[in-house]
Amino acid sequence: MTDSIARPGAPTRATPTRPPTDRPTDQAAPTATPARRPRPPRDERARKKGGSGLFRAMWRWHFFASFLVVPVLLVLSVTGLIYLFRFQIEPLMHGDLMHIDTPAATEVRQSYAAQQTALERVYPDVTVVSMREPLEADDATAFSVVEADGSPRDVYVDPYGPDVLGSLDPDTTLSGTAVRLHADLMAGRFGDHLMELGACWAIVMALTGYYLFVRGAKARRRARAKDRPGARLRSRHGWLGAGVGVGLLFLLVSGLPWTGVWGETVQKLATDRGSSLWSTDPGALSDPTSSLDESLPHSHVQDVPWGMGASEVPRSTGDPEGSVANIDTAVEVAEAEGLRHPFTVAVPDTTTDEAGVYSVIGYAFDAPSDERTVHVDRFGGAVVSTYGFDDYPTLAKVVSQGIGLHEGRSLGLWSFWGAALMCVGIIAACVTGPLMWWRRRPRGAARIGAPRGRMPLRGSPVLLVGLVALGIVLPLFGLSLLVVLALDQLVLRRVPALAGWFDTV
């Protein structure tokens, strides 16, 4: 039998002990895997990832504003381009009327009075209301007349005949149609309000566009690096908008004085405080019968300077029994007064008012600061009053310079081509924006694919004050904003189908 007792001094082998465990020793312990939660839908992720933040709210406003703004800006840009090039377009389309053969050295230009007589011989039933000097040596003289039924026409006369070349309706020419569309869509007061509303929201779209351009720069770079669909178009649209945005804002603001709500409101406020947007001729206060704008028909080749449109027309005070002035007398007096050529001469209608005056307008196309008008007494040819840029109130001077830049004429070719490039750039932005949405729109979904975000007005008092101020300065924008907010809260969010379609938060 073997002795199982250890001998004294022999080493003892320790038996390892296992730590206590609750698991059974006869089976392996399973590995615990936590259950994965389903990934929320894309719109839900966007909402949780700051979807109610300022960036996505600005994006949403920019998106929905485009539905109104893009059509308006396209109309304004295309018609603005036509207006800019009107002096090149109309002679090409109506060269038989507006151009004459280069005169021989022996030919003598006839007086304007003789040209008016030739016109009245061909058109005995019309009333001559104005004459525009030829711009070039081979241009015809243009007379604006009113037919017996009140319709305006432009009659062109070869000054070396003098021979009447023909006539046309200025409202039906390409530039005339463009001007009428540019002003009010040829829809009167309603069209004027619609264009003003679009211009107001275009200001909002330009401001939100700059915010998106700056804050979204990193996202655009990442999208281009990953070559995501539409990333390049999005980047080009952003850079294009950044380039034309400042010019667009200037064109919109400088065009507001023509509008029926903002323009008339500011004019009233200015007049009540002793200033004016449109100036009053101080020499015409004796007994005015009309404004200078009212004394001329709608001629879309060369207009009355904007600052003089509402200036009052005085009356002749000379001796009716003495000598009687004519167009040539008025032109000579205007030259002596230093007016710049070419002139436009408003002719008095002697059948309705024998005491009318000849109003000679020096348009000064490339320099609003040189605009001047001289009123010439019909009896004797004395100067009744002169009026020009130096006589404008301060507000009228600022607006007139802005109008000159708006029309691309204040700084010569620089402002002309600058305005033309702005129009082209705005057209391109209006095309790339909708095209970008079309490529990124949700396929097969019953929704428009608008950005989802709510404006954080409660946490952004500066933003709230800015919106209120903009709504006060631009009344049509303020009213339309209240309508949009009421529609959003009372209709879109309460009708599930509309809420889904418009992607409301």
Side-chain angles (χ1 to χ4, degrees):
M1 174 180 259
T2 305
D3 188 7
S4 61
I5 307 282
R7 290 175 298 180
T12 305
R13 180 178 296 176
T15 303
T17 58
R18 292 184 179 181
T21 177
D22 295 331
R23 293 181 305 191
T25 58
D26 57 347
Q27 60 182 359
T31 303
T33 303
R36 300 188 64 178
R37 298 177 61 185
R39 195 176 188 185
R42 183 174 181 269
D43 290 341
E44 184 68 20
R45 299 200 310 272
R47 188 184 298 116
K48 291 184 177 181
K49 192 181 178 181
S52 59
L54 185 59
F55 181 83
R56 296 190 67 83
M58 289 288 190
W59 186 5
R60 185 175 179 85
W61 279 46
H62 190 81
F63 177 83
F64 279 112
S66 66
F67 285 87
L68 170 65
V69 171
V70 166
V72 170
L73 288 185
L74 283 174
V75 172
L76 289 175
S77 301
V78 173
T79 56
L81 271 177
I82 295 173
Y83 183 77
L84 281 172
F85 289 93
R86 64 194 181 282
F87 293 117
Q88 292 77 30
I89 293 174
E90 295 301 339
L92 288 176
M93 300 182 67
H94 307 285
D96 56 331
L97 296 179
M98 299 181 177
H99 281 307
I100 61 175
D101 296 332
T102 303
T106 56
E107 291 185 282
V108 178
R109 182 186 292 268
Q110 302 298 307
S111 67
Y112 292 121
Q115 296 177 51
Q116 180 180 351
T117 300
L119 181 155
E120 292 171 339
R121 189 182 305 118
V122 177
Y123 299 100
D125 297 328
V126 304
T127 300
V128 177
V129 293
S130 72
M131 181 277 297
R132 298 192 306 277
E133 285 187 316
L135 298 176
E136 303 292 342
D138 59 348
D139 288 345
T141 305
F143 288 85
S144 292
V145 305
V146 175
E147 296 181 311
D149 61 357
S151 301
R153 292 195 74 81
D154 283 348
V155 180
Y156 295 88
V157 179
D158 182 346
Y160 293 93
D163 300 317
V164 176
L165 302 176
S167 68
L168 53 81
D169 183 348
D171 284 342
T172 61
T173 62
L174 180 61
S175 60
T177 302
V179 169
R180 295 165 65 203
L181 285 171
H182 196 87
D184 57 14
L185 298 175
M186 297 191 292
R189 195 75 173 177
F190 171 78
D192 175 80
H193 291 348
L194 182 61
M195 297 297 278
E196 182 176 353
L197 182 63
C200 292
W201 278 96
I203 294 174
V204 174
M205 194 172 76
L207 295 176
T208 55
Y210 272 116
Y211 180 88
L212 296 176
F213 178 76
V214 175
R215 288 295 303 273
K218 292 182 179 179
R220 290 194 303 274
R221 286 196 295 268
R222 288 195 300 266
R224 290 198 64 177
K226 296 179 180 179
D227 199 21
R228 291 176 180 170
R232 293 184 180 275
L233 181 61
R234 179 186 177 188
S235 181
R236 289 178 184 138
H237 177 77
W239 282 104
L240 184 61
V244 302
V246 173
L248 172 62
L249 286 171
F250 172 79
L251 291 174
L252 292 170
V253 172
S254 61
L256 285 175
W258 276 300
T259 57
V261 175
W262 190 93
E264 290 183 6
T265 301
V266 175
Q267 166 65 7
K268 184 178 184 303
L269 292 174
T271 303
D272 292 343
R273 286 158 179 77
S275 184
S276 180
L277 284 179
W278 303 288
S279 308
T280 301
D281 186 342
L285 297 178
S286 56
D287 188 15
T289 58
S290 67
S291 69
L292 188 60
D293 223 6
E294 293 169 346
S295 66
L296 296 172
H298 291 290
S299 179
H300 306 294
V301 177
Q302 184 171 327
D303 300 318
V304 177
W306 184 89
M308 298 180 185
S311 62
E312 295 167 333
V313 177
R315 297 168 63 84
S316 295
T317 58
D319 182 9
E321 302 299 327
S323 60
V324 179
N326 57 23
I327 295 182
D328 297 285
T329 307
V331 170
E332 291 177 5
V333 172
E335 286 179 334
E337 291 291 324
L339 265 69
R340 285 184 52 182
H341 290 276
F343 299 154
T344 295
V345 183
V347 180
D349 183 4
T350 58
T351 60
T352 59
D353 182 18
E354 293 185 356
V357 297
Y358 288 94
S359 298
V360 186
I361 305 163
Y363 192 62
F365 183 82
D366 59 346
S369 57
D370 292 343
E371 296 170 354
R372 287 187 67 203
T373 294
V374 173
H375 300 295
V376 180
D377 197 310
R378 179 169 170 262
F379 307 115
V383 175
V384 179
S385 68
T386 62
Y387 186 59
F389 184 87
D390 293 339
D391 301 306
Y392 292 178
T394 302
L395 185 58
K397 289 181 178 179
V398 173
V399 174
S400 292
Q401 291 287 4
I403 293 298
L405 289 171
H406 184 99
E407 295 179 338
R409 59 184 180 86
S410 286
L411 302 176
L413 290 177
W414 287 102
S415 57
F416 176 86
W417 287 110
L421 288 175
M422 281 296 116
C423 289
V424 174
I426 292 168
I427 292 172
C430 289
V431 172
T432 56
L435 182 60
M436 183 171 58
W437 164 79
W438 182 258
R439 290 185 176 180
R440 301 174 64 187
R441 75 192 191 283
R443 303 297 197 276
R447 59 191 182 87
I448 197 171
R452 300 169 68 85
R454 186 176 296 176
M455 190 70 75
L457 295 178
R458 293 181 181 179
S460 305
V462 175
L463 179 62
L464 179 60
V465 171
L467 277 176
V468 173
L470 195 62
I472 294 174
V473 173
L474 303 174
L476 275 187
F477 167 73
L479 291 174
S480 63
L481 179 60
L482 292 176
V483 172
V484 169
L485 293 177
L487 185 65
D488 180 63
Q489 294 295 326
L490 301 178
V491 179
L492 298 185
R493 297 183 185 276
R494 297 174 183 268
V495 180
L498 293 178
W501 171 256
F502 285 99
D503 290 309
T504 57
V505 177

PDB file of all heavy atoms in Angstrom, residues 10 17 21 82 91 106 187 214 223 233 274 298 317 344 374-375 387 413 419 430 461 471 479 484:
ATOM      1  N   ALA A  10       8.981  17.582   2.473  1.00  0.00           N
ATOM      2  CA  ALA A  10       8.731  17.475   1.018  1.00  0.00           C
ATOM      3  C   ALA A  10       7.858  18.636   0.550  1.00  0.00           C
ATOM      4  O   ALA A  10       6.965  19.092   1.255  1.00  0.00           O
ATOM      5  CB  ALA A  10       8.058  16.143   0.727  1.00  0.00           C
ATOM      6  N   THR A  17      -7.574  26.956  -7.550  1.00  0.00           N
ATOM      7  CA  THR A  17      -9.019  27.083  -7.291  1.00  0.00           C
ATOM      8  C   THR A  17      -9.641  28.059  -8.282  1.00  0.00           C
ATOM      9  O   THR A  17      -9.036  29.065  -8.656  1.00  0.00           O
ATOM     10  CB  THR A  17      -9.253  27.613  -5.874  1.00  0.00           C
ATOM     11  OG1 THR A  17      -8.608  28.863  -5.733  1.00  0.00           O
ATOM     12  CG2 THR A  17      -8.691  26.631  -4.839  1.00  0.00           C
ATOM     13  N   THR A  21     -18.603  31.174  -9.719  1.00  0.00           N
ATOM     14  CA  THR A  21     -19.399  31.640 -10.852  1.00  0.00           C
ATOM     15  C   THR A  21     -20.806  31.110 -10.748  1.00  0.00           C
ATOM     16  O   THR A  21     -21.044  30.032 -10.205  1.00  0.00           O
ATOM     17  CB  THR A  21     -18.781  31.197 -12.194  1.00  0.00           C
ATOM     18  OG1 THR A  21     -19.616  31.615 -13.226  1.00  0.00           O
ATOM     19  CG2 THR A  21     -18.630  29.669 -12.245  1.00  0.00           C
ATOM     20  N   ILE A  82     -33.525  93.740 -73.359  1.00  0.00           N
ATOM     21  CA  ILE A  82     -34.066  94.355 -74.577  1.00  0.00           C
ATOM     22  C   ILE A  82     -34.036  95.875 -74.470  1.00  0.00           C
ATOM     23  O   ILE A  82     -33.672  96.582 -75.415  1.00  0.00           O
ATOM     24  CB  ILE A  82     -35.497  93.848 -74.827  1.00  0.00           C
ATOM     25  CG1 ILE A  82     -35.479  92.346 -75.129  1.00  0.00           C
ATOM     26  CG2 ILE A  82     -36.150  94.618 -75.975  1.00  0.00           C
ATOM     27  CD1 ILE A  82     -36.854  91.727 -75.229  1.00  0.00           C
ATOM     28  N   PRO A  91     -33.436 100.183 -84.625  1.00  0.00           N
ATOM     29  CA  PRO A  91     -33.006 100.550 -85.975  1.00  0.00           C
ATOM     30  C   PRO A  91     -32.806  99.347 -86.886  1.00  0.00           C
ATOM     31  O   PRO A  91     -32.980  99.452 -88.108  1.00  0.00           O
ATOM     32  CB  PRO A  91     -31.678 101.293 -85.733  1.00  0.00           C
ATOM     33  CG  PRO A  91     -31.808 101.834 -84.357  1.00  0.00           C
ATOM     34  CD  PRO A  91     -32.557 100.781 -83.606  1.00  0.00           C
ATOM     35  N   THR A 106     -23.814 118.322-100.565  1.00  0.00           N
ATOM     36  CA  THR A 106     -24.563 119.490-101.027  1.00  0.00           C
ATOM     37  C   THR A 106     -25.960 119.569-100.414  1.00  0.00           C
ATOM     38  O   THR A 106     -26.629 120.597-100.546  1.00  0.00           O
ATOM     39  CB  THR A 106     -24.707 119.429-102.555  1.00  0.00           C
ATOM     40  OG1 THR A 106     -25.320 118.186-102.937  1.00  0.00           O
ATOM     41  CG2 THR A 106     -23.331 119.533-103.211  1.00  0.00           C
ATOM     42  N   ALA A 187     -50.650  94.526 -67.383  1.00  0.00           N
ATOM     43  CA  ALA A 187     -51.865  94.149 -66.649  1.00  0.00           C
ATOM     44  C   ALA A 187     -52.294  95.239 -65.685  1.00  0.00           C
ATOM     45  O   ALA A 187     -53.021  94.966 -64.728  1.00  0.00           O
ATOM     46  CB  ALA A 187     -51.628  92.842 -65.894  1.00  0.00           C
ATOM     47  N   VAL A 214     -22.543  81.100 -47.571  1.00  0.00           N
ATOM     48  CA  VAL A 214     -21.462  81.147 -46.583  1.00  0.00           C
ATOM     49  C   VAL A 214     -21.520  79.944 -45.657  1.00  0.00           C
ATOM     50  O   VAL A 214     -20.521  79.245 -45.439  1.00  0.00           O
ATOM     51  CB  VAL A 214     -21.536  82.460 -45.777  1.00  0.00           C
ATOM     52  CG1 VAL A 214     -20.499  82.464 -44.656  1.00  0.00           C
ATOM     53  CG2 VAL A 214     -21.318  83.658 -46.689  1.00  0.00           C
ATOM     54  N   ALA A 223     -19.626  67.484 -50.767  1.00  0.00           N
ATOM     55  CA  ALA A 223     -20.447  66.855 -51.797  1.00  0.00           C
ATOM     56  C   ALA A 223     -19.687  66.741 -53.110  1.00  0.00           C
ATOM     57  O   ALA A 223     -19.785  65.723 -53.811  1.00  0.00           O
ATOM     58  CB  ALA A 223     -21.739  67.656 -51.988  1.00  0.00           C
ATOM     59  N   LEU A 233     -23.504  71.216 -59.981  1.00  0.00           N
ATOM     60  CA  LEU A 233     -24.514  72.221 -60.322  1.00  0.00           C
ATOM     61  C   LEU A 233     -24.836  73.086 -59.106  1.00  0.00           C
ATOM     62  O   LEU A 233     -25.008  74.306 -59.226  1.00  0.00           O
ATOM     63  CB  LEU A 233     -25.774  71.529 -60.840  1.00  0.00           C
ATOM     64  CG  LEU A 233     -26.919  72.454 -61.266  1.00  0.00           C
ATOM     65  CD1 LEU A 233     -26.469  73.363 -62.406  1.00  0.00           C
ATOM     66  CD2 LEU A 233     -28.130  71.639 -61.684  1.00  0.00           C
ATOM     67  N   GLY A 274     -41.461 117.926 -46.826  1.00  0.00           N
ATOM     68  CA  GLY A 274     -40.810 119.000 -47.551  1.00  0.00           C
ATOM     69  C   GLY A 274     -39.792 118.565 -48.569  1.00  0.00           C
ATOM     70  O   GLY A 274     -39.073 119.383 -49.128  1.00  0.00           O
ATOM     71  N   HIS A 298     -46.325 107.905 -74.629  1.00  0.00           N
ATOM     72  CA  HIS A 298     -45.407 106.821 -74.283  1.00  0.00           C
ATOM     73  C   HIS A 298     -44.509 106.533 -75.480  1.00  0.00           C
ATOM     74  O   HIS A 298     -44.863 105.787 -76.373  1.00  0.00           O
ATOM     75  CB  HIS A 298     -46.182 105.563 -73.904  1.00  0.00           C
ATOM     76  CG  HIS A 298     -46.923 105.700 -72.617  1.00  0.00           C
ATOM     77  ND1 HIS A 298     -46.304 105.767 -71.394  1.00  0.00           N
ATOM     78  CD2 HIS A 298     -48.241 105.814 -72.362  1.00  0.00           C
ATOM     79  CE1 HIS A 298     -47.202 105.899 -70.441  1.00  0.00           C
ATOM     80  NE2 HIS A 298     -48.388 105.934 -70.996  1.00  0.00           N
ATOM     81  N   THR A 317     -46.390 133.565 -70.918  1.00  0.00           N
ATOM     82  CA  THR A 317     -46.890 134.843 -70.387  1.00  0.00           C
ATOM     83  C   THR A 317     -46.570 136.009 -71.314  1.00  0.00           C
ATOM     84  O   THR A 317     -46.807 137.174 -70.955  1.00  0.00           O
ATOM     85  CB  THR A 317     -46.267 135.104 -69.007  1.00  0.00           C
ATOM     86  OG1 THR A 317     -44.839 135.108 -69.122  1.00  0.00           O
ATOM     87  CG2 THR A 317     -46.688 134.036 -68.006  1.00  0.00           C
ATOM     88  N   THR A 344     -35.116 116.569 -76.657  1.00  0.00           N
ATOM     89  CA  THR A 344     -36.511 116.207 -76.899  1.00  0.00           C
ATOM     90  C   THR A 344     -37.323 117.453 -76.610  1.00  0.00           C
ATOM     91  O   THR A 344     -37.172 118.058 -75.530  1.00  0.00           O
ATOM     92  CB  THR A 344     -36.982 115.049 -76.004  1.00  0.00           C
ATOM     93  OG1 THR A 344     -36.252 113.869 -76.331  1.00  0.00           O
ATOM     94  CG2 THR A 344     -38.469 114.772 -76.192  1.00  0.00           C
ATOM     95  N   VAL A 374     -35.597 123.273 -70.181  1.00  0.00           N
ATOM     96  CA  VAL A 374     -35.859 124.707 -70.362  1.00  0.00           C
ATOM     97  C   VAL A 374     -37.264 124.862 -70.935  1.00  0.00           C
ATOM     98  O   VAL A 374     -37.595 124.255 -71.957  1.00  0.00           O
ATOM     99  CB  VAL A 374     -34.823 125.353 -71.312  1.00  0.00           C
ATOM    100  CG1 VAL A 374     -35.215 126.799 -71.614  1.00  0.00           C
ATOM    101  CG2 VAL A 374     -33.438 125.307 -70.705  1.00  0.00           C
ATOM    102  N   HIS A 375     -38.080 125.690 -70.272  1.00  0.00           N
ATOM    103  CA  HIS A 375     -39.416 125.997 -70.769  1.00  0.00           C
ATOM    104  C   HIS A 375     -39.347 127.331 -71.516  1.00  0.00           C
ATOM    105  O   HIS A 375     -38.922 128.353 -70.955  1.00  0.00           O
ATOM    106  CB  HIS A 375     -40.417 126.101 -69.618  1.00  0.00           C
ATOM    107  CG  HIS A 375     -40.524 124.830 -68.818  1.00  0.00           C
ATOM    108  ND1 HIS A 375     -41.003 123.662 -69.353  1.00  0.00           N
ATOM    109  CD2 HIS A 375     -40.212 124.559 -67.524  1.00  0.00           C
ATOM    110  CE1 HIS A 375     -40.986 122.717 -68.416  1.00  0.00           C
ATOM    111  NE2 HIS A 375     -40.509 123.233 -67.306  1.00  0.00           N
ATOM    112  N   TYR A 387     -34.834 124.182 -65.305  1.00  0.00           N
ATOM    113  CA  TYR A 387     -34.898 123.254 -64.185  1.00  0.00           C
ATOM    114  C   TYR A 387     -33.992 122.070 -64.471  1.00  0.00           C
ATOM    115  O   TYR A 387     -33.988 121.542 -65.586  1.00  0.00           O
ATOM    116  CB  TYR A 387     -36.337 122.779 -63.986  1.00  0.00           C
ATOM    117  CG  TYR A 387     -36.539 121.936 -62.761  1.00  0.00           C
ATOM    118  CD1 TYR A 387     -36.249 122.445 -61.510  1.00  0.00           C
ATOM    119  CD2 TYR A 387     -37.013 120.640 -62.860  1.00  0.00           C
ATOM    120  CE1 TYR A 387     -36.425 121.669 -60.376  1.00  0.00           C
ATOM    121  CE2 TYR A 387     -37.197 119.867 -61.742  1.00  0.00           C
ATOM    122  CZ  TYR A 387     -36.893 120.383 -60.492  1.00  0.00           C
ATOM    123  OH  TYR A 387     -37.065 119.626 -59.368  1.00  0.00           O
ATOM    124  N   LEU A 413     -19.990 102.973 -70.849  1.00  0.00           N
ATOM    125  CA  LEU A 413     -19.999 101.567 -71.210  1.00  0.00           C
ATOM    126  C   LEU A 413     -19.803 100.659 -70.006  1.00  0.00           C
ATOM    127  O   LEU A 413     -20.249  99.497 -70.017  1.00  0.00           O
ATOM    128  CB  LEU A 413     -18.911 101.285 -72.250  1.00  0.00           C
ATOM    129  CG  LEU A 413     -19.166 101.866 -73.645  1.00  0.00           C
ATOM    130  CD1 LEU A 413     -17.987 101.571 -74.557  1.00  0.00           C
ATOM    131  CD2 LEU A 413     -20.453 101.288 -74.235  1.00  0.00           C
ATOM    132  N   ALA A 419     -24.688  96.237 -66.386  1.00  0.00           N
ATOM    133  CA  ALA A 419     -26.111  95.923 -66.279  1.00  0.00           C
ATOM    134  C   ALA A 419     -26.479  94.748 -67.178  1.00  0.00           C
ATOM    135  O   ALA A 419     -27.286  93.882 -66.800  1.00  0.00           O
ATOM    136  CB  ALA A 419     -26.945  97.151 -66.644  1.00  0.00           C
ATOM    137  N   CYS A 430     -31.614  81.861 -62.425  1.00  0.00           N
ATOM    138  CA  CYS A 430     -33.020  81.446 -62.450  1.00  0.00           C
ATOM    139  C   CYS A 430     -33.206  80.098 -63.146  1.00  0.00           C
ATOM    140  O   CYS A 430     -34.200  79.410 -62.913  1.00  0.00           O
ATOM    141  CB  CYS A 430     -33.874  82.507 -63.151  1.00  0.00           C
ATOM    142  SG  CYS A 430     -34.080  84.025 -62.203  1.00  0.00           S
ATOM    143  N   PRO A 461     -33.695  87.143 -31.553  1.00  0.00           N
ATOM    144  CA  PRO A 461     -34.396  88.435 -31.581  1.00  0.00           C
ATOM    145  C   PRO A 461     -33.926  89.341 -32.712  1.00  0.00           C
ATOM    146  O   PRO A 461     -34.712  90.107 -33.256  1.00  0.00           O
ATOM    147  CB  PRO A 461     -34.077  89.032 -30.201  1.00  0.00           C
ATOM    148  CG  PRO A 461     -32.864  88.301 -29.710  1.00  0.00           C
ATOM    149  CD  PRO A 461     -32.948  86.933 -30.294  1.00  0.00           C
ATOM    150  N   GLY A 471     -40.575  94.029 -43.265  1.00  0.00           N
ATOM    151  CA  GLY A 471     -41.999  94.072 -43.563  1.00  0.00           C
ATOM    152  C   GLY A 471     -42.568  95.471 -43.531  1.00  0.00           C
ATOM    153  O   GLY A 471     -43.518  95.789 -44.256  1.00  0.00           O
ATOM    154  N   LEU A 479     -47.215  92.320 -45.799  1.00  0.00           N
ATOM    155  CA  LEU A 479     -48.576  91.770 -45.894  1.00  0.00           C
ATOM    156  C   LEU A 479     -48.545  90.330 -46.400  1.00  0.00           C
ATOM    157  O   LEU A 479     -49.248  89.464 -45.871  1.00  0.00           O
ATOM    158  CB  LEU A 479     -49.416  92.645 -46.831  1.00  0.00           C
ATOM    159  CG  LEU A 479     -49.759  94.047 -46.312  1.00  0.00           C
ATOM    160  CD1 LEU A 479     -50.473  94.854 -47.390  1.00  0.00           C
ATOM    161  CD2 LEU A 479     -50.637  93.961 -45.062  1.00  0.00           C
ATOM    162  N   VAL A 484     -48.719  84.294 -45.645  1.00  0.00           N
ATOM    163  CA  VAL A 484     -48.015  83.007 -45.725  1.00  0.00           C
ATOM    164  C   VAL A 484     -47.973  82.327 -44.362  1.00  0.00           C
ATOM    165  O   VAL A 484     -48.224  81.121 -44.249  1.00  0.00           O
ATOM    166  CB  VAL A 484     -46.589  83.227 -46.276  1.00  0.00           C
ATOM    167  CG1 VAL A 484     -45.753  81.963 -46.106  1.00  0.00           C
ATOM    168  CG2 VAL A 484     -46.645  83.616 -47.749  1.00  0.00           C
TER     169      VAL A 484
END
